[in-house]
Amino acid sequence: MPYIPPQQNMVLEAKTLDAQHIFIIGAKSIGQYGGYETFVDKLTEQHQNDSTIKYHIACKANGDGFMDENKLDGVEITKKNRDGSVLEFTYHNAHVFKIPCPNIGPAVAIYYDRAAVKYGIKYCKDNNIKRPIFYILTCRIGPFIEGLVKQIKAIGGIYMLNPDGHEWMRAKWSAPVRRYWKWSEKKMVDAADIVVCDSVNIENYIKEKYKHPHTVFIAYGSDTKRSVLSDDDPKFTGWLQEKSLKTDQYYLVVGRFVPENNYETMIREYMKSHSKRDFAIITNANEKLKAQLEKILHFNSDPRIKFVGTVYDKELLKKIRENAYGYFHGHEVGGTNPSLLEAMGSTALNLLLDVGFNKEVGIDAALYWSKKDGDLAALIDTIDTMDEVERKRLGTAAKNRIKAAYSWQVIGDKYKRIWNESI
């Protein structure tokens, strides 16, 4: 990765002063595992040759999910620390800055977002940037938002918020933390110039709950390109062999191992079904929750239930999705979920929990189940011998749904209109 001297870097920055500058705060990194991480990767890729837009992306320098620029192609290092560590780099023509974070447990997320906003404000002052947009992803820094917004306004800037989903509803949080999330959400929504919602259901909630006058719906994106790996690629066949799985003979779920994603319901119902196929669970398994579910369900006695670990190789994960017989989606909290979009772009048969967030994505290109006892098990038994013509019809409909409403080009164009309309 080439190193650009500070003098040359100043010239490069000067050329972008007339562009619309957008500071995106909230992703831990770029292009690594996670919805926001993929979002900033794809958004900057869409606009990398657009001279009217200049992105500034905050990333974590250390700690959980930190930015490792060595995992990206096309990086140009622009600033290093005295010890040689990278402080800033260019990627997709975006300026990426890394924020060092103290080891303070869960509160580090609040520290990180606040420090990133303050860095952006200082950067605008130092580089004489006019009319910057600060786009903050999720509602972590409510206690500090009023003071930060005053500073953003003082330099002629705009504050936009993406509230994500209903974080305060997530079962993993204790009651005091949930109260904090709800209070922080209110503070951050009330202070926002524009609230960008990645789900129609979330936008309706923001309008009804907070009466916010300026909301807009822009979904998360995905694609329908097939994996670059062939069906007989050793990387894929080796993974299948290691996990004791066979092409078209497994159902799949990919997602965080948290209660609100309804793993308990999916595993229980699968164990009730008569399917001879396996149920492959790709997740960062929380051992405590896993032990709790084993105590309740005794899934270790069912050889079909297979926790197969995590898969961070995007092309391998796409190939795994393509060759699954069907995909389960049990997410109950949140907006437009990246895993769902990626599944609909790759897997023919998608079985979704029947909630508004999922139905607005799947419409008639997916099948739906409830948490009612026996409902999902009956659906599994029904579709396990589904006519292949019907299965392929659903797969085509799912891909067409993604192409029409959720392609990254569509999402990028919508964001560009928002950037232009806001100045």
Side-chain angles (χ1 to χ4, degrees):
M1 293 179 288
Y3 172 59
I4 301 176
Q7 295 84 355
Q8 184 181 352
N9 188 42
M10 290 174 63
V11 174
L12 292 176
E13 290 293 342
K15 292 180 180 179
T16 66
L17 287 178
D18 294 331
Q20 176 58 60
H21 291 256
I22 299 102
F23 290 78
I24 301 182
I25 314 295
K28 294 178 182 178
S29 62
I30 296 178
Q32 296 177 46
Y33 203 64
Y36 282 148
E37 287 70 27
T38 301
F39 166 71
V40 292
D41 187 7
K42 295 298 185 179
L43 187 65
T44 54
E45 181 181 39
Q46 286 297 313
H47 297 149
Q48 61 184 322
N49 297 318
D50 190 331
S51 61
T52 68
I53 296 173
K54 181 65 178 181
Y55 287 111
H56 306 264
I57 311 296
C59 289
K60 290 181 69 179
N62 58 296
D64 179 52
F66 76 97
M67 180 73 248
D68 182 358
E69 61 279 354
N70 293 305
K71 293 183 178 179
L72 298 177
D73 295 326
V75 166
E76 292 183 345
I77 298 171
T78 55
K79 188 175 182 181
K80 291 183 177 180
N81 212 337
R82 290 182 178 179
D83 63 5
S85 60
V86 174
L87 293 176
E88 300 178 17
F89 61 88
T90 297
Y91 174 70
H92 286 162
N93 282 332
H95 161 229
V96 185
F97 56 96
K98 298 168 70 173
I99 301 294
C101 298
N103 184 14
I104 53 175
V108 71
I110 299 171
Y111 172 91
Y112 167 59
D113 284 359
R114 181 170 179 256
V117 175
K118 292 178 72 69
Y119 173 97
I121 293 169
K122 184 177 185 302
Y123 186 92
C124 290
K125 291 177 179 178
D126 292 346
N127 292 276
N128 195 31
I129 291 173
K130 308 296 183 183
R131 312 179 314 279
I133 294 172
F134 283 76
Y135 186 31
I136 301 179
L137 311 176
T138 207
C139 301
R140 285 185 285 253
I141 52 173
F144 309 100
I145 196 64
E146 290 180 0
L148 292 172
V149 169
K150 285 181 181 178
Q151 296 177 56
I152 290 171
K153 298 296 183 184
I155 58 174
I158 293 171
Y159 158 47
M160 289 188 189
L161 171 69
N162 187 321
D164 197 14
H166 299 313
E167 191 69 32
W168 50 270
M169 290 177 62
R170 296 192 188 278
K172 69 175 182 177
W173 300 122
S174 64
V177 174
R178 288 188 203 179
R179 286 195 293 271
Y180 171 84
W181 274 111
K182 199 167 186 178
W183 174 78
S184 185
E185 176 186 272
K186 175 174 171 42
K187 297 284 285 185
M188 293 191 70
V189 170
D190 286 346
D193 294 301
I194 299 174
V195 181
V196 181
C197 306
D198 68 7
S199 159
V200 172
N201 280 262
I202 290 294
E203 184 180 22
N204 290 339
Y205 163 77
I206 295 296
K207 286 179 176 179
E208 293 168 10
K209 177 73 174 177
Y210 300 110
K211 314 299 181 190
H212 199 285
H214 302 294
T215 66
V216 62
F217 163 60
I218 306 180
Y220 189 84
S222 189
D223 66 63
T224 58
K225 296 176 184 175
R226 289 191 63 82
S227 171
V228 299
L229 303 179
S230 62
D231 285 347
D232 60 356
D233 189 290
K235 183 181 288 187
F236 174 57
T237 57
W239 185 87
L240 288 177
Q241 185 175 9
E242 179 188 343
K243 307 302 180 183
S244 299
L245 297 171
K246 294 181 179 179
T247 296
D248 200 44
Q249 294 302 308
Y250 61 92
Y251 289 86
L252 180 68
V253 64
V254 180
R256 290 186 301 168
F257 197 60
V258 291
E260 62 268 19
N261 289 350
N262 288 293
Y263 284 93
E264 180 178 345
T265 299
M266 290 186 288
I267 294 171
R268 176 187 288 115
E269 294 294 310
Y270 203 90
M271 292 175 71
K272 289 180 181 179
S273 79
H274 299 91
S275 177
K276 297 292 191 275
R277 293 180 169 89
D278 291 313
F279 180 20
I281 302 170
I282 295 180
T283 185
N284 56 330
N286 176 316
E287 292 303 323
K288 182 179 179 181
L289 177 58
K290 190 176 177 182
Q292 290 173 351
L293 292 189
E294 168 58 22
K295 188 175 182 179
I296 297 169
L297 304 174
H298 308 293
F299 59 78
N300 283 332
S301 64
D302 190 331
R304 298 174 301 169
I305 310 300
K306 296 181 177 178
F307 283 83
V308 295
T310 53
V311 178
Y312 293 109
D313 184 316
K314 294 177 183 178
E315 295 301 324
L316 175 58
L317 184 56
K318 185 177 286 190
K319 179 55 62 176
I320 294 168
R321 284 192 171 108
E322 289 171 2
N323 284 276
Y325 182 78
Y327 182 85
F328 294 120
H329 189 74
H331 289 54
E332 192 170 9
V333 177
T336 303
N337 184 266
S339 291
L340 173 55
L341 298 182
E342 290 160 5
M344 289 187 63
S346 298
T347 310
L349 195 56
N350 291 276
L351 313 176
L352 318 182
L353 178 62
D354 191 354
V355 294
F357 302 111
N358 298 333
K359 293 193 77 170
E360 75 175 70
V361 175
I363 307 182
D364 59 356
L367 301 176
Y368 299 90
W369 51 274
S370 73
K371 293 195 289 183
K372 182 181 177 182
D373 185 44
D375 187 64
L376 177 55
L379 179 60
I380 293 168
D381 285 343
T382 298
I383 58 93
D384 208 45
T385 56
M386 175 180 278
D387 179 82
E388 190 60 22
V389 173
E390 175 62 10
R391 182 167 169 265
K392 287 183 177 179
R393 184 195 69 79
L394 283 168
T396 300
K399 290 178 177 61
N400 289 339
R401 174 70 179 140
I402 297 301
K403 289 176 183 176
Y406 297 98
S407 74
W408 282 114
Q409 182 176 344
V410 168
I411 303 309
D413 289 347
K414 288 183 177 180
Y415 269 104
K416 182 172 181 177
R417 285 196 293 274
I418 290 295
W419 306 147
N420 290 339
E421 291 169 3
S422 299
I423 60 175

